[in-house]
Amino acid sequence: MSTESSFPPAICVVGFHHARGPEIETWFGIESDTDPAVENDWSFLPFMALSDGAHTFSEDFSYFTLRKKGAADSAGTSLFGMSCTRQLDARDLIERPDDVTRSTVQKSVVIVAQSPHVFPGWREKLSLVTKAWFMQRDFRDTQILKEFQESLKPDLDPDEDRDQFLGLSLRELIYEFKHQALVLFKCCLLQPKMLFFGSKCERLCMMQFGLISLIPGLIRHLEDCADPDLDSYERKMVQPSSLKTSDRNSLLSYMGLPLQIFGKGSHFGPYTPLQQLDMLADFGTKSYIVGSTNSLLLQQKDRYSDVIINLDDTTVTVTSASLRSALSLTHADRRWIDFLYQKIAATWDTENPSRPTNHGYLGSEEFIRLQFEEYLLALLAATKYHLYLYSVPHHKRDLSAFTDIEGDPSIDFSEAWLDAWKNTSNYKLWNCFTDSHLFDIVDPRHPTAGALSIDDINRRLNAQIEDLHLEERFATSRDALNKHLATGKKQVSTAFNNLWADIETFRSAQRAKAAEARSSHPHPPNPLSPPSTAPLSKSTSTSALPSPSNFEIGSPPSGTSASSSAQPTPNSATALFDTQNLRSRAPDLSQAQAAASAAGQKASAYFSSWGTWASERRKGWGNNNSSDTAGKSGGLKKLTLSPTAGQMSRSSGAAKVAASWSEPTDPRSAPAGVATFRENERVGAIKERLGRMSVSSVPAAEKETGKDKDVAEKEEGKEGEREEVKDAEKEGEKDAEKSVDNETQVGQDEKKDDPARSPTKRGVEKWRGKRREERGSDGIGRLDA
């Protein structure tokens, strides 16, 4: 490369105009009345300095290449630019110019130099100066930029090892991309069309610089990278004639390094704006390594790239099928890169990724560069050994010094990759200007050569499992499941809370409604309270309750009538519950009368059907073989139904029910006794239903009458009720005795008339007919046993 004094470092300011877009505002460090952008046709410099998406960061850096046109006595060369972009709120300006119409002011300070190896030392200075200039809040004051340009002295005696510090940390490169880092390194030597994409411009550019810095000496020999038409390096290249094995630079030069991957037809643009896509698509552009922050290039990846490296998701995509097979790593390659990755992972520090945790040599930047340098030298030596084996006949070969090498050692570097590399321009240039016996200087063997072992298989399986990213996928699924569960739990809890709130609201409304009803009716009548004009006597209320002594097998309980047994007492639990529920409701006389009439009709129909059914059942009893025992039954147990006077007056049909119950006492008539017991159970159920009907038929208004009558009327009602009860009891007893006597007499007459017939059967039939005649007009009659 030509001397640094040919183009001294210069500074320019690039601003974004709301109407004209990015434009160069001023230059510092150049002769007056000259403009390098116009002289060298740098129309794309403003777009390179202000990268796409830079406004989303408070500070961002961009790196790019520029072509400097040659003069009559010199050829053209490449220049390199580094810009620092910042933005300021327009309201913070001390004096706002008229052309500032947007809310923010975005500007970039650019350094243009002849070699990129000086950028690591100038980056921090550029950042501080740009920040200080923005803090002035007056962009017309450029004194600080003038002084900064004067301080940028060209490095006339550069350090040859300094290029290793330019670019992204190699530890980060290998830790993030793992074995893909070796794929990218070998891909650069094949000179395809490589496109790097990332949202942050500085990281995008540093990734590319770090990758090409793995080729020793290439950073200082990029004079032809700015334009595909430049080839000055090839024209000046000569084959080394001497070698000093103790001198590293002499050894690298003798081995043909650096490999010139940016020669004729190649281009290097760390940041390439969309305005340069025409140059990338030009027929003369055969290969390039470029970077972009615009996602539009990803949509046309098949047109503009063979390999896409996405830094946002850390993926490498090879779109060319032939290139994909050539970039497949061998077992030796995987073994080598895995060894390197393990050393880095064992000393990884998240707070300071560029340095090992133990600050040792293993896993450091110097260690990584030395490993790649050893790998590249072994590759070059193995390639020369491979060419020697195929170019020299077997009987003329002199391989006495390589007795430990069996076969072709280049196989460990992949034969497919070696065949693809032979078709590149950098291989042809290297093979033309290097000695054919380089394998005599460097051992032509892979650093981790060897046969496939169990460790290699385990390493490959582990790598494939890691490539699946199972932990990340399971973590995503687990997070999604937990999110759905939490959402469902929240929804269910909300639904229950809303339901409970609705219930509480409804209950509050009901309570408020009940309170309003109580306030409108301070003393509501109790429809279930007994009438005051006809209180039950102690004897009557006591007899209305069945006692255990009245229950016998085959006979119903005695002492109560259907209406009296069904009448609830005031102190019962049902009456109390109903009283509490009905206390807030006013009595409805019309509904009560209608209910009483309907209940009376139902009771009449029910007892008529029951009498018919009982008559049919008695016919079946007469056919039983228990006629003798039935005739010998000496007596009938009777049940006197004694309804109270008040109940008799309210239910005329139920008050007339009185029956005599008979039961055979002879133990030999067991079937008849069982039938009688079942009949008694049915009669008891009917009486219970009749009692409920009689209770429901009582009008609620009639129960409440009598509260306002005087004491005299109450006493008269009590006396009358007692007399009616006594008369009803006496009449019931007479009817029962009369029915029994008639039954006995009929049995004796039938026995005399027909000796062959059973006296009990004849008596029952006659008695049954008589009972039908004695039925009243109300259709209920008396129940016969």
Side-chain angles (χ1 to χ4, degrees):
M1 182 178 289
S2 58
T3 60
E4 297 282 349
S5 58
S6 60
F7 189 87
I11 292 179
C12 70
V13 176
V14 176
F16 186 87
H17 192 271
H18 69 281
R20 298 185 296 270
E23 59 181 5
I24 299 176
E25 296 180 354
T26 182
W27 281 92
F28 301 97
I30 61 172
E31 298 179 359
S32 59
D33 300 332
T34 59
D35 189 350
V38 176
E39 295 174 358
N40 297 283
D41 192 16
W42 293 344
S43 58
F44 297 149
L45 189 151
F47 299 95
M48 297 176 182
L50 291 176
S51 60
D52 295 335
H55 61 280
T56 59
F57 302 96
S58 59
E59 182 184 60
D60 199 7
F61 288 84
S62 176
Y63 298 82
F64 49 91
T65 58
L66 299 169
R67 177 182 177 178
K68 181 178 178 297
K69 292 182 177 181
D73 56 346
S74 62
T77 185
S78 298
L79 299 179
F80 301 87
M82 177 178 61
S83 66
C84 179
T85 305
R86 297 185 69 92
Q87 51 192 350
L88 180 68
D89 194 333
R91 296 174 297 181
D92 296 337
L93 293 174
I94 296 177
E95 184 176 350
R96 183 171 180 172
D98 297 336
D99 58 350
V100 178
T101 59
R102 295 196 174 188
S103 60
T104 58
V105 179
Q106 188 178 22
K107 294 184 181 295
S108 179
V109 180
V110 184
I111 299 178
V112 179
Q114 195 163 354
S115 177
H117 76 277
V118 295
F119 286 162
W122 290 353
R123 180 196 178 279
E124 295 300 328
K125 295 179 181 179
L126 178 62
S127 177
L128 294 175
V129 169
T130 305
K131 183 178 180 180
W133 187 46
F134 270 75
M135 292 179 65
Q136 294 179 168
R137 298 184 299 164
D138 186 4
F139 295 119
R140 296 172 300 177
D141 186 2
T142 59
Q143 183 63 30
I144 188 174
L145 299 181
K146 296 178 182 179
E147 296 177 357
F148 175 58
Q149 189 278 329
E150 295 174 357
S151 66
L152 298 178
K153 300 298 181 181
D155 194 353
L156 299 178
D157 187 17
D159 185 3
E160 292 295 334
D161 294 333
R162 192 171 180 177
D163 58 286
Q164 64 186 359
F165 300 106
L166 179 63
L168 185 69
S169 170
L170 298 180
R171 284 174 55 85
E172 296 182 46
L173 174 64
I174 298 176
Y175 186 81
E176 293 179 2
F177 286 90
K178 299 180 177 63
H179 68 279
Q180 298 285 0
L182 181 58
V183 173
L184 294 177
F185 174 74
K186 299 179 73 172
C187 186
C188 290
L189 300 180
L190 297 181
Q191 293 182 261
K193 296 179 179 180
M194 301 179 65
L195 173 62
F196 288 79
F197 172 79
S199 57
K200 188 171 179 57
C201 186
E202 182 180 18
R203 177 178 173 80
L204 177 72
C205 300
M206 289 295 99
M207 175 69 179
Q208 300 171 64
F209 276 115
L211 185 61
I212 65 175
S213 67
L214 293 176
I215 302 176
L218 183 59
I219 289 292
R220 292 183 174 273
H221 296 85
L222 296 175
E223 57 264 29
D224 297 333
C225 70
D227 194 279
D229 296 333
L230 298 178
D231 60 346
S232 61
Y233 181 82
E234 181 179 357
R235 293 198 304 266
K236 295 184 298 181
M237 189 175 183
V238 294
Q239 184 174 351
S241 58
S242 62
L243 170 64
K244 291 183 179 180
T245 55
S246 59
D247 188 357
R248 174 179 175 271
N249 294 328
S250 177
L251 175 62
L252 295 178
S253 178
Y254 188 82
M255 295 295 295
L257 296 176
L259 297 175
Q260 189 52 260
I261 60 176
F262 301 114
K264 183 71 173 179
S266 299
H267 173 68
F268 175 54
Y271 175 71
T272 303
L274 297 179
Q275 287 74 12
Q276 285 187 304
L277 290 181
D278 293 339
M279 184 187 67
L280 300 181
D282 189 76
F283 179 77
T285 306
K286 304 300 182 181
S287 66
Y288 50 75
I289 297 179
V290 295
S292 176
T293 59
N294 198 314
S295 60
L296 293 177
L297 288 178
L298 296 180
Q299 302 176 5
Q300 303 180 11
K301 56 184 179 181
D302 295 335
R303 179 182 179 185
Y304 292 104
S305 65
D306 297 327
V307 182
I308 296 179
I309 300 93
N310 194 327
L311 302 183
D312 292 342
D313 54 9
T314 318
T315 57
V316 177
T317 305
V318 182
T319 59
S320 175
S322 59
L323 188 62
R324 190 182 302 111
S325 60
L327 293 177
S328 299
L329 300 180
T330 63
H331 297 297
D333 287 340
R334 292 298 295 259
R335 191 182 301 121
W336 181 81
I337 192 63
D338 288 342
F339 163 77
L340 204 59
Y341 173 76
Q342 291 174 2
K343 295 299 181 182
I344 295 174
T347 59
W348 183 255
D349 187 3
T350 55
E351 297 181 357
N352 189 7
S354 61
R355 290 183 178 275
T357 54
N358 55 5
H359 298 281
Y361 175 72
L362 291 178
S364 62
E365 294 283 324
E366 294 79 5
F367 173 77
I368 296 173
R369 293 187 181 277
L370 182 60
Q371 294 300 318
F372 272 95
E373 182 178 309
E374 181 184 359
Y375 179 90
L376 184 57
L377 293 177
L379 171 63
L380 299 178
T383 303
K384 287 293 185 178
Y385 191 90
H386 167 78
L387 297 176
Y388 179 80
L389 291 179
Y390 283 90
S391 60
V392 179
H394 188 274
H395 64 280
K396 293 183 179 181
R397 297 175 186 173
D398 183 12
L399 300 176
S400 58
F402 305 98
T403 56
D404 55 341
I405 298 178
E406 298 181 0
D408 188 359
S410 64
I411 297 177
D412 292 332
F413 294 96
S414 177
E415 290 182 296
W417 182 87
L418 189 60
D419 293 339
W421 185 44
K422 291 179 181 181
N423 297 325
T424 61
S425 59
N426 74 88
Y427 169 81
K428 296 175 182 179
L429 189 63
W430 169 79
N431 190 38
C432 181
F433 290 95
T434 53
D435 189 82
S436 60
H437 285 69
L438 293 180
F439 52 86
D440 291 333
I441 308 300
V442 178
D443 189 11
R445 185 161 29 197
H446 198 286
T448 56
L452 182 65
S453 62
I454 299 298
D455 294 337
D456 297 332
I457 297 176
N458 293 335
R459 191 181 300 109
R460 176 63 62 85
L461 291 176
N462 294 333
Q464 291 179 352
I465 293 175
E466 290 180 0
D467 292 340
L468 294 177
H469 303 286
L470 296 178
E471 294 183 358
E472 298 178 2
R473 295 180 181 179
F474 289 156
T476 304
S477 302
R478 184 170 55 253
D479 294 342
L481 180 60
N482 293 335
K483 183 179 180 179
H484 289 311
L485 290 177
T487 304
K489 182 180 179 181
K490 183 178 180 181
Q491 292 177 353
V492 172
S493 178
T494 303
F496 274 107
N497 292 337
N498 294 338
L499 178 60
W500 186 255
D502 294 341
I503 293 174
E504 290 295 330
T505 303
F506 178 76
R507 293 177 62 184
S508 301
Q510 292 297 324
R511 286 195 293 267
K513 187 176 181 180
E516 183 180 357
R518 285 195 297 269
S519 62
S520 61
H521 301 284
H523 301 287
N526 187 0
L528 297 181
S529 60
S532 58
T533 57
L536 294 177
S537 61
K538 182 177 181 180
S539 60
T540 305
S541 61
T542 305
S543 62
L545 298 176
S547 60
S549 61
N550 294 333
F551 289 94
E552 294 185 11
I553 297 176
S555 63
S558 61
T560 59
S561 63
S563 60
S564 63
S565 60
Q567 178 68 27
T569 58
N571 58 349
S572 63
T574 305
L576 290 177
F577 180 78
D578 294 339
T579 301
Q580 294 176 359
N581 293 337
L582 300 175
R583 184 166 296 173
S584 60
R585 296 183 295 180
D588 191 351
L589 298 180
S590 60
Q591 293 182 0
Q593 292 175 0
S597 177
Q601 295 177 2
K602 291 181 180 180
S604 300
Y606 190 87
F607 274 89
S608 298
S609 61
W610 175 251
T612 304
W613 177 84
S615 300
E616 293 176 358
R617 293 295 296 178
R618 283 196 298 269
K619 292 180 181 180
W621 297 342
N623 297 329
N624 294 332
N625 296 327
S626 58
S627 58
D628 296 337
T629 56
K632 296 179 181 180
S633 57
L636 295 176
K637 294 186 178 180
K638 57 183 179 179
L639 173 64
T640 302
L641 303 178
S642 302
T644 61
Q647 293 170 343
M648 292 176 66
S649 63
R650 298 185 187 98
S651 179
S652 60
K656 295 179 180 180
V657 177
S660 300
W661 302 82
S662 62
E663 175 184 356
T665 57
D666 194 345
R668 290 177 295 178
S669 59
V674 173
T676 304
F677 175 72
R678 294 177 178 174
E679 188 67 22
N680 293 339
E681 289 183 339
R682 294 189 182 94
V683 173
I686 294 172
K687 291 168 61 180
E688 184 178 356
R689 297 183 63 179
L690 179 61
R692 287 197 293 268
M693 293 179 186
S694 63
V695 172
S696 62
S697 65
V698 177
E702 187 177 353
K703 293 181 180 181
E704 296 298 324
T705 59
K707 289 186 176 181
D708 298 333
K709 295 181 180 181
D710 53 5
V711 178
E713 293 179 356
K714 291 182 181 180
E715 292 298 332
E716 292 177 0
K718 290 181 181 179
E719 292 295 333
E721 182 181 1
R722 293 191 187 97
E723 292 177 359
E724 291 179 0
V725 169
K726 291 179 181 181
D727 295 340
E729 289 177 354
K730 291 178 180 180
E731 185 179 359
E733 290 176 359
K734 290 179 180 180
D735 292 340
E737 291 175 358
K738 185 178 180 179
S739 62
V740 173
D741 295 340
N742 292 337
E743 182 181 359
T744 304
Q745 184 66 30
V746 170
Q748 292 176 0
D749 294 341
E750 290 182 355
K751 186 175 181 180
K752 292 178 180 180
D753 297 340
D754 190 2
R757 296 176 60 185
S758 172
T760 305
K761 184 181 298 185
R762 294 193 302 269
V764 170
E765 292 177 354
K766 290 185 177 182
W767 175 79
R768 186 184 300 137
K770 186 177 182 179
R771 299 303 296 172
R772 291 194 187 100
E773 296 176 356
E774 292 179 354
R775 290 180 179 176
S777 60
D778 54 2
I780 299 178
R782 296 183 177 87
L783 293 176
D784 41 358

